[in-house]
Amino acid sequence: MNLDVLMEAAEGNVDFARELAALYLSGIEEQLNLLRMALAERAMERIGHIAHYCKGSSVTCGALALAELFHQLSQLAQQNQFDECSRVAADVVVEFGRVQETLRALPQTQGAPT
């Protein structure tokens, strides 16, 4: 997790970074639910689209290891390699847990100016 990327996107504002992180986390959670359904249905095209979308969001928030996993997942879906998609999707869930811990540990507030 590269928090510098997130802070740059938030223009250095910790409160805004927390808002961005919260939006990112809820969006990825929703996408992971869709990914689970797509995997259950073996819907390779949907798996690829979800992975591509999540990769971009992850890069923007600095979750670079997670972005790389989503990239791999997207590529595997394009190659119709379902078993490998399932393996990488499991890795995605583990890495997302790490990202959640990191982003939820951001300071609560920047503090009011005195």
Side-chain angles (χ1 to χ4, degrees):
M1 192 66 222
N2 185 339
L3 292 177
D4 291 338
V5 173
L6 177 63
M7 290 308 296
E8 184 177 319
E11 298 177 351
N13 183 306
V14 175
D15 291 331
F16 187 44
R18 285 192 56 74
E19 287 179 42
L20 290 176
L23 288 171
Y24 167 73
L25 291 175
S26 66
I28 295 297
E29 286 172 354
E30 182 179 318
Q31 292 300 309
L32 289 180
N33 287 331
L34 295 173
L35 179 61
R36 284 182 196 95
M37 289 188 287
L39 286 164
E41 296 169 9
R42 298 175 80 98
M44 300 305 285
E45 188 173 337
R46 279 196 327 212
I47 292 168
H49 288 302
I50 292 166
H52 181 74
Y53 171 83
C54 292
K55 174 190 150 197
S57 297
S58 296
V59 167
T60 300
C61 282
L64 305 180
L66 186 56
E68 177 57 31
L69 288 171
F70 280 126
H71 175 72
Q72 290 174 25
L73 186 58
S74 176
Q75 295 297 309
L76 292 167
Q78 286 179 357
Q79 297 165 7
N80 206 33
Q81 295 185 26
F82 180 77
D83 291 339
E84 285 299 305
C85 281
S86 294
R87 182 191 59 76
V88 173
D91 293 343
V92 161
V93 171
V94 171
E95 183 60 26
F96 181 63
R98 291 182 189 121
V99 169
Q100 285 177 307
E101 287 178 26
T102 301
L103 292 180
R104 288 182 177 153
L106 287 173
Q108 288 298 321
T109 184
Q110 197 166 309
T114 56

